Amino acid sequence: MQKKESFIVNRLKSVGFAFKGMLILIKTEASIKVQLFITIVITCAGFYFEISKTEWMVQLTMIALVMSLEGMNTAVEHIADFIHPEYHKKIGLIKDVAAGAVFIAAIIATIIAGIIYIPRIF
């Protein structure tokens, strides 16, 4: 019987796998690269305009939501392509719905950015 690893060792391995997944996502997905660029720009804007703590919390939450959903969308696409590599109407629907979830979050994030920054710009 194989010796069971400690809780801490298992957690460290999990963090390592998660970090690896994040790097793969950033290296391979064009949409994440765009979102990462927007994240950097909007974060710089936050410092420049000295947004409030509450605005920081909302902004960071939306960044995390959009990028996390993008990661889940990518995972859904990879699973769907693995299960059914050729085009299938149902697989297309599943992929569209997953992309739609990212789109909804991105629209709301854009509206929130407008609420935070438009009054400061004009």
Side-chain angles (χ1 to χ4, degrees):
M1 183 156 38
Q2 190 175 9
K3 183 181 176 188
K4 196 171 182 182
E5 293 177 328
S6 74
F7 176 80
I8 293 173
V9 169
N10 281 331
R11 296 296 60 81
L12 289 174
K13 283 184 178 181
S14 293
V15 169
F17 295 140
F19 188 76
K20 177 183 171 188
M22 180 187 68
L23 290 179
I24 290 168
L25 192 60
I26 291 168
K27 288 179 183 178
T28 62
E29 293 300 315
S31 55
I32 278 286
K33 291 175 185 174
V34 170
Q35 291 163 1
L36 192 56
F37 174 75
I38 292 168
T39 294
I40 292 167
V41 169
I42 207 82
T43 300
C44 290
F47 285 117
Y48 179 80
F49 289 109
E50 298 177 351
I51 63 176
S52 71
K53 288 180 183 180
T54 302
E55 290 167 329
W56 272 114
M57 288 187 288
V58 172
Q59 178 170 297
L60 291 173
T61 299
M62 291 312 300
I63 289 168
L65 178 65
V66 171
M67 293 184 83
S68 296
L69 281 173
E70 187 62 54
M72 293 306 298
N73 178 49
T74 300
V76 166
E77 288 179 358
H78 284 285
I79 290 169
D81 290 343
F82 179 76
I83 292 170
H84 208 291
E86 58 277 348
Y87 176 79
H88 188 277
K89 189 175 180 179
K90 288 280 188 183
I91 295 293
L93 175 70
I94 291 165
K95 291 166 110 177
D96 289 348
V97 169
V102 180
F103 187 61
I104 291 167
I107 289 171
I108 299 302
T110 303
I111 292 168
I112 288 171
I115 291 168
I116 293 172
Y117 292 107
I118 289 174
R120 289 176 164 87
I121 295 171
F122 298 105

